C-alpha cells in the first residue's frame, strides 16, 4: 500500500494534470489491493460515465459563449446596463453586477465572466474614482452569477452525474441567481453611500440613452430568453436548446462586429479544448468512482453519516462545509465530479430533492471561486489587473459574507430554488 501515496506525491510534485493524476493513482490502487482483475472492464465503465445524453449540451453551450465573446457583445451589454442603473449612487458597481447577469445567460462560466469584465470594468472604475481593489472585488464577486443563472455548465455536469433533469436545474437557478444579483446591488449601494462612491444626481453626463442601448443589446439579450423559453415550456431538450442557442449566437454575431470564418474556427477550437478537458476529468473520476464502489467507500460513508445523525438539513450543512472547502482549492468541474458520486447518494436516499441539492452544491462551489486562499476568480482578476492578490482577497470579504448568507437561505428554504421548476411542471423529487 505504500506505493499509492508515493505515486500520488510524485505526480503531484511533478505538476501532472489532475485527471491523469487521479487516473494513475486509481489504477495503482486497484493493483495494490489485489483487484487488478477488475481493470479489464474499465473502458466500459469510462464509456458508461461519458455516454450521457445531457452531456451533449455542454460543448454546444460552450460554443455559444465562445461565438458571442468574439462577436463584440460586451460593449452593448455594458451600455444597456449603464442606461438602466448607472445613474444611481455607486452606479458603475451596479452596472458591473447587472452586466454579469446578462453575461450569465450567454457564457455560464464564472471564470469567463471575470476574465471578460475585469479588463473593462476595473480600469474604468479606477478612472472614475473607485478604489481599484473594490473594483476588482465586485467584479470577481459578481462573476459568480454566471454558473447559477442558466445556461450553466456545472449544472449540466451535475445533471449528468445524478440523472437529475437539466431543464429543471436551469429553471431552479433563476431565482437564486437573481437574488444573488439583488443582494450584491444592495451591498454595493450601502458601501457606495458609506464611502462616497461616484454616481447619483448630477453625475449622469455619460449615461447612454435607454432605448437605443436596449435595441443594440437586444440580440444578445434574446439568447437566454430563447434558451430558457425552449426548456421551461417543453419545446426542446437541453441538447436541442443548446443547438438552437448556437444558431441564435451566429445570427447575433453578424448583428454586432460580424463573424469571420477565422473567428468561428477559433471558437470551435476553444470549445474542443475545453470540452476535451472536462471529459478527460469525467473519465478519470469514473475510474475513481469504480474503485470507490469496489472498496465499499460509499457504504462506509453512509454508515459514518448515520452514526453522527447527519440527516436532512444537518446533512446539507455538512455538505456545504465540504464543498466550500473543495471550491477554494479545486476547479469546479473537478470538485463536482469527484464529490458528487460520494456524497449525493446519501442525500437522495434521505429524500432531499435532487434539484434543490444541485442548486445548493453548485452555488456552494461557486462561492469557493472567490474565497481565499486559491479562489480561481480572484486569481484571474488579480492576474489581468495586476492587483495584489491578498489585498484583493481582503476587499472581497463583504461579498463572500453576503453570498454565504444567501447560501444558508437556500439550504433552509428549498422553495426558493424549487418554485419555478414546480410552476412549470418539472418533477423535483
Amino acid at each position: 500500500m505504500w506505493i499509492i501515496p508515493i505515486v500520488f506525491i510524485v505526480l503531484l510534485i511533478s505538476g501532472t494534470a489532475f485527471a491523469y493524476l487521479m487516473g494513475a493513482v486509481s489504477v495503482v490502487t486497484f493493483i495494490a489491493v489485489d483487484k487488478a482483475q477488475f481493470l479489464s472492464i474499465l473502458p466500459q465503465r469510462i464509456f458508461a460515465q461519458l455516454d450521457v445524453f445531457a452531456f451533449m449540451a455542454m460543448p454546444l453551450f460552450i460554443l455559444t459563449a465562445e461565438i458571442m465573446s468574439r462577436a463584440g457583445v460586451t460593449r452593448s451589454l455594458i451600455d444597456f446596463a449603464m442606461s438602466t442603473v448607472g445613474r444611481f449612487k455607486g452606479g458603475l458597481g451596479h452596472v458591473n453586477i447587472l452586466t454579469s447577469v446578462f453575461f450569465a445567460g450567454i457564457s455560464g462560466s464564472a471564470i469567463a465572466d471575470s476574465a471578460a469584465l475585469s479588463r473593462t470594468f476595473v480600469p474604468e472604475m479606477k478612472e472614475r474614482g473607485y478604489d481599484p481593489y473594490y473594483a476588482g472585488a465586485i467584479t470577481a464577486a459578481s462573476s459568480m452569477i454566471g454558473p447559477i443563472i442558466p445556461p450553466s455548465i456545472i449544472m449540466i455536469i451535475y445533471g449528468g452525474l445524478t440523472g437529475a433533469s437539466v431543464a429543471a436545474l436551469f429553471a431552479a437557478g433563476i431565482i437564486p441567481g437573481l437574488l444573488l444579483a439583488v443582494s450584491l446591488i444592495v451591498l454595493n449601494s450601502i458601501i457606495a453611500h458609506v464611502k462616497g462612491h461616484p454616481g447619483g444626481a448630477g453625475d449622469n453626463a455619460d449615461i447612454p440613452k435607454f432605448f437605443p442601448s436596449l435595441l443594440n443589446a437586444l440580440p444578445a439579450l434574446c439568447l437566454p430568453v430563447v434558451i430558457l423559453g425552449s426548456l421551461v415550456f417543453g419545446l426542446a431538450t437541453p441538447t436541442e436548446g443548446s443547438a438552437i442557442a448556437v444558431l441564435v449566437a451566429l445570427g447575433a454575431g453578424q448583428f454586432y462586429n460580424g463573424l469571420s470564418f477565422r473567428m468561428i474556427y477559433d471558437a470551435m477550437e476553444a470549445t474542443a479544448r475545453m470540452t476535451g478537458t472536462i471529459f478527460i476529468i469525467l473519465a478519470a473520476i469514473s475510474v475513481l468512482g469504480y474503485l470507490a464502489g469496489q472498496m465499499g467507500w460509499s457504504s462506509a460513508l453512509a454508515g459514518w453519516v448515520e452514526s453522527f445523525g447527519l440527516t436532512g438539513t444537518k446533512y446539507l450543512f455538512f455538505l456545504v462545509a465540504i464543498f466550500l472547502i473543495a471550491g477554494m482549492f479545486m476547479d469546479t468541474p473537478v470538485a463536482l465530479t469527484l464529490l458528487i458520486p460520494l456524497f449525493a447518494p446519501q442525500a437522495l436516499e434521505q429524500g432531499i430533492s435532487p434539484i434543490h441539492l444541485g442548486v445548493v452544491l453548485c452555488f456552494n462551489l461557486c462561492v469557493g471561486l472567490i474565497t481565499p486562499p486559491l479562489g480561481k476568480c480572484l486569481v484571474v482578476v488579480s492576474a489581468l489587473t495586476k492587483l495584489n492578490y491578498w489585498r484583493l482577497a481582503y476587499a472581497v470579504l463583504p461579498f463572500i459574507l453576503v453570498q454565504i448568507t444567501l447560501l444558508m437561505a437556500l439550504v433552509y428554504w428549498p422553495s426558493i430554488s424549487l418554485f419555478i421548476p414546480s410552476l412549470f411542471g418539472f418533477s423535483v423529487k
Side-chain angles (χ1 to χ4, degrees), residues 14-39:
S14 67
T16 303
F18 182 84
Y20 301 118
L21 186 151
M22 295 308 301
V25 170
S26 298
V27 170
V28 170
T29 304
F30 268 108
I31 297 170
V33 298
D34 199 27
K35 291 185 179 290
Q37 67 271 23
F38 294 105
L39 291 174

Side-chain angles (χ1 to χ4, degrees), residues 96-328:
N96 196 326
I97 297 165
L98 193 58
T99 305
S100 290
V101 174
F102 298 150
F103 257 86
I106 296 173
S107 74
S109 166
I111 304 292
D113 285 6
S114 60
L117 299 183
S118 60
R119 294 188 186 96
T120 302
F121 275 111
V122 175
E124 189 167 347
M125 291 179 74
K126 181 180 178 181
E127 185 178 333
R128 297 289 186 93
Y130 290 81
D131 176 12
Y133 287 95
Y134 180 80
I138 197 171
T139 301
S142 62
S143 69
M144 190 196 129
I145 299 171
I148 307 302
I149 292 180
S152 169
I153 302 303
I154 61 174
M155 286 187 181
I156 294 174
I157 295 174
Y158 172 87
L161 291 172
T162 62
S165 166
V166 173
L169 288 166
F170 280 6
I174 296 173
I175 292 180
L178 294 178
L179 282 177
L180 175 58
V182 170
S183 301
L184 294 177
I185 286 174
V186 170
L187 177 60
N188 177 63
S189 182
I190 293 171
I191 294 175
H193 282 86
V194 171
K195 296 190 174 182
H197 286 168
D203 195 17
N204 299 331
D206 297 331
I207 304 298
K209 294 187 180 300
F210 177 78
F211 285 107
S213 60
L214 172 61
L215 290 175
N216 195 38
L218 203 56
L221 296 176
C222 283
L223 186 58
V225 174
V226 169
I227 294 171
L228 284 175
S230 64
L231 295 182
V232 300
F233 290 109
L235 302 177
T237 65
T239 303
E240 294 164 347
S242 64
I244 294 171
V246 171
L247 294 177
V248 174
L250 289 170
Q254 294 301 328
F255 176 82
Y256 292 107
N257 293 340
L259 290 169
S260 65
F261 176 79
R262 184 67 196 182
M263 289 180 181
I264 296 174
Y265 177 84
D266 289 343
M268 294 180 69
E269 183 180 40
T271 300
R273 287 179 178 174
M274 186 176 296
T275 304
T277 300
I278 294 173
F279 272 65
I280 288 173
I281 292 170
L282 289 170
I285 297 299
S286 71
V287 179
L288 182 63
Y290 183 44
L291 174 64
Q294 293 296 322
M295 300 292 289
W297 293 349
S298 297
S299 300
L301 179 62
W304 182 83
V305 166
E306 187 175 339
S307 67
F308 280 90
L310 297 175
T311 58
T313 304
K314 291 181 181 178
Y315 185 63
L316 273 181
F317 278 119
F318 167 71
L319 292 186
V320 164
I322 296 294
F323 277 72
L324 184 60
I325 295 170
M328 295 179 192

